[in-house]
Amino acid sequence: MIVAANWKMNPALDQASVLATALANQSFPQIKRILFAPHPYLVPMSVRLTGTALEIGGQDCHFADHGAFTGDVSAAMLRDCGASLVLLGHSERRAAHGETSDIIAQKITAALAQNLDVMLCVGETKAERDDKKAEQVVIDQLQASIPKHAPPARLMVAYEPVWAIGTGAVASPDDIAAMHDVIASVLAERYGANHVPPILYGGSVNADNAASLFSIPLVSGVLVGGASLDADAFATICAAAQDAA
Ligand code: 13P
């Protein structure tokens, strides 16, 4: 079981330090915990979380190694600042930064080349689900975003329906199970049934619904946005994951 916190562009640094201290004091040895921190916080967070089991990741990286890309960061920069993995293809980046699956594939290649593991986000919009295109959209995102050479042991996939993010409208257990089954089939076709990377759910995960999410088949973890900014809520989610592990 994996519980990943995506802080997005939150919180203020002083609050981040308090939160990191709380996370460092929590112990959930049976699960993998990940923190995707804002880039300027990677160094202070990795210093603060040294010696804990928490893994630290960036929320994006550029596909180039270096160059004239003002405001961007490279995979090597993330690694040098203490990250061991990176979140790529989040719908907020696909929507607000025009990231296509082709660009995301190049970013995955760059991240793997720098020894960063990758959590790839996929998910359909409300309109795509209403049009009954959700499964095809996610299949297309997976096929186009995962480069041919990407080793399954270095990958995780987070299914985040766009309409469930930050809305309180968590997807139904049946819809989550069905989509995780589709994702697992695509990955099994590529890697073989015994090498399917972990598949996480994300979208309005909170302390109240986490336990029920972990009981859904093929849910290997959760990617948590808003609730990860509350140390107690995050601990409750981790405890539910540990119970289910
Ligand atoms: P919320 O948990 O706030 O819905 O965000 C989910 C998400 O986008 C995590 O990457």
Side-chain angles (χ1 to χ4, degrees):
M1 281 292 174
I2 301 163
V3 180
N6 177 9
W7 282 0
K8 308 192 179 185
M9 200 169 72
N10 300 293
L13 184 57
D14 55 348
Q15 290 167 270
S17 300
V18 172
L19 199 45
T21 301
L23 295 182
N25 290 334
Q26 296 164 359
S27 172
F28 296 98
Q30 270 122 279
I31 63 168
K32 180 181 175 100
R33 289 184 303 156
I34 299 168
L35 168 61
F36 292 110
H39 294 161
Y41 296 177
L42 286 173
V43 170
M45 291 306 118
S46 48
V47 167
R48 193 160 283 258
L49 296 170
T50 299
T52 74
L54 260 130
E55 290 182 35
I56 298 182
Q59 296 176 6
D60 179 48
C61 69
H62 200 276
F63 53 77
D65 287 344
H66 53 81
F69 301 105
T70 303
D72 280 309
V73 299
S74 70
M77 289 171 179
L78 294 183
R79 195 207 49 222
D80 288 349
C81 289
S84 59
L85 73 169
V86 60
L87 187 66
L88 291 172
H90 194 284
S91 61
E92 286 153 13
R93 294 208 59 87
R94 289 180 194 257
H97 296 266
E99 286 191 12
T100 61
S101 290
D102 178 55
I103 292 172
I104 293 159
Q106 294 178 61
K107 291 182 175 205
I108 293 179
T109 298
L112 293 172
Q114 294 300 330
N115 282 326
L116 294 176
D117 288 351
V118 171
M119 187 179 291
L120 166 69
C121 300
V122 293
E124 81 285 358
T125 63
K126 176 83 169 69
E128 289 162 345
R129 176 155 288 271
D130 290 347
D131 284 354
K132 311 223 172 314
K133 292 182 185 147
E135 292 189 358
Q136 195 55 52
V137 165
V138 168
I139 291 169
D140 291 348
Q141 287 174 343
L142 289 168
Q143 302 284 25
S145 304
I146 303 176
K148 293 278 170 287
H149 56 84
R154 308 281 307 282
L155 268 185
M156 290 165 272
V157 172
Y159 168 52
E160 295 206 302
V162 177
W163 48 272
I165 295 175
T167 58
V170 68
S172 75
D174 285 351
D175 286 345
I176 296 171
M179 191 62 87
H180 279 228
D181 191 50
V182 167
I183 295 169
S185 302
V186 171
L187 296 170
E189 224 168 83
R190 197 181 281 215
Y191 295 122
N194 294 333
H195 298 283
V196 172
I199 307 168
L200 291 74
Y201 169 78
S204 295
V205 176
N206 60 36
D208 295 329
N209 61 24
S212 64
L213 291 168
F214 291 125
S215 68
I216 299 171
L218 295 171
V219 171
S220 299
V222 288
L223 177 56
V224 188
S228 72
L229 296 167
D230 177 325
D232 292 339
F234 194 67
T236 303
I237 295 166
C238 291
Q242 182 144 294
D243 284 349

